[in-house]
Amino acid sequence: MVITGADTRRGRGKATSPNPVKEAALELGLRVEHEVEALLESDAQLGIVVAYGAILRSPLLDHMPFVNLHFSLLPRWRGAAPVERAILSGDVETGVCVMAIEEGLDTGGIYASATTPVDDKTLFELWEELSDLGGELLVQWLPQAFAHGELLAPTPQRGEATYAAKLAAEDRRVDLDAPAAEQFARVRLGNAWTMVGDKRLKLIEASLDRSVPDVRIEYLRVQPEGKRPMLFSDWWRGATDEQRAAFAQGPPT
């Protein structure tokens, strides 16, 4: 059985269409439901949760064991935005965990995990990579999960827990006087912005120049308020001296 969101309207018409998860499940001949309570009628041995977006509680947790594919190396970054917080904090690596679901927020034991470097990946790139890594991890772990007839016990989380609160718009605001690495991290989240004078400027793409003693950020694409995205070099040519002064990087190379 697969639990996923209900069909939604797409486009201008009134017709609804299923999401990709439902489409894949139907192609495989699996039963699809839209309410998680339908699992109470199931005799499944295990529930697997991926990006569900809600906390499961009793009586579901009493009915069967559940595991969650969490996108961090627990106990670091429990909560709603673990990938975003890993990027913002400059983490060297992150990963995925198959964890037991219990009443607490991402406090359950770990069944399996895999790591990957963060590098200069954008949020989208890291999400894609972790999704693939997590799928592979689940496929590897599942055949071993009931090796002795019952679900094997997980390993308790070890280390100091940190919490990944949802991002607010202000978390994506770039301080142009901040260190280059901090600015770059916010740009990689997507929807980064700053204020130049009294106008909002979206910062779409940037790169870091690590060849110089003081790491330097180079903005590549921006979007002025009320205009289309453009190359930073084009924005620079049309900017006033006061607007240019906001960027410590100076003129584009």
Side-chain angles (χ1 to χ4, degrees):
M1 181 189 298
V2 174
I3 308 295
T4 188
D7 297 357
T8 56
R9 288 177 55 186
R10 297 183 184 181
R12 297 182 178 180
K14 295 183 178 180
T16 60
S17 57
N19 62 51
V21 172
K22 182 174 180 178
E23 288 181 340
L26 292 176
E27 288 177 4
L28 293 170
L30 300 175
R31 175 183 169 186
V32 176
E33 297 288 346
H34 302 305
E35 300 296 334
V36 70
E37 288 74 18
L39 289 172
L40 294 173
E41 305 170 7
S42 170
D43 59 358
Q45 292 178 285
L46 179 68
I48 299 174
V49 178
V50 180
Y52 180 62
I55 297 177
L56 301 184
R57 303 188 186 279
S58 298
L60 281 171
L61 296 183
D62 300 326
H63 184 68
M64 70 173 75
F66 285 85
V67 298
N68 177 46
L69 186 64
H70 186 79
F71 284 14
S72 81
L73 299 175
L74 293 166
R76 185 163 178 79
W77 302 131
R78 295 173 177 171
V83 185
E84 292 91 329
R85 294 298 173 184
I87 291 174
L88 280 178
S89 296
D91 289 4
V92 174
E93 69 173 7
T94 186
V96 290
C97 288
V98 178
M99 54 158 286
I101 294 181
E102 54 185 34
E103 290 283 354
L105 178 62
D106 298 331
T107 57
I110 306 300
Y111 289 104
S113 64
T115 64
T116 188
V118 175
D119 295 330
D120 289 345
K121 298 162 190 168
T122 65
L123 177 61
F124 177 78
E125 290 168 341
L126 202 49
W127 262 104
E128 289 284 294
E129 184 173 333
L130 292 172
S131 296
D132 291 341
L133 189 63
E136 293 169 2
L137 184 64
L138 278 171
V139 170
Q140 293 168 5
W141 171 74
L142 276 171
Q144 310 166 27
F146 293 89
H148 302 292
E150 294 184 358
L151 183 63
L152 299 177
T155 301
Q157 295 183 25
R158 295 187 176 91
E160 182 180 357
T162 57
Y163 291 88
K166 284 185 178 180
L167 266 62
E170 195 65 23
D171 291 312
R172 288 182 160 87
R173 181 172 184 168
V174 176
D175 178 357
L176 297 176
D177 293 323
E182 181 180 321
Q183 295 185 48
F184 187 48
R186 295 183 190 278
V187 173
R188 285 156 50 214
L189 291 177
N191 295 315
W193 59 280
T194 192
M195 295 299 295
V196 178
D198 60 350
K199 299 291 185 181
R200 179 178 291 213
L201 182 69
K202 289 185 179 180
L203 305 171
I204 299 172
E205 185 181 357
S207 65
L208 279 189
D209 182 1
R210 296 185 174 91
S211 66
V212 293
D214 293 327
V215 177
R216 168 189 169 98
I217 188 167
E218 296 183 355
Y219 285 98
L220 305 175
R221 293 177 65 235
V222 298
Q223 183 177 2
E225 190 173 314
K227 296 184 179 180
R228 294 182 177 182
M230 63 179 65
L231 295 175
F232 181 75
S233 56
D234 291 338
W235 176 87
W236 183 272
R237 279 194 291 271
T240 65
D241 289 342
E242 182 180 0
Q243 290 172 328
R244 291 176 177 179
F247 287 86
Q249 73 174 73
T253 55

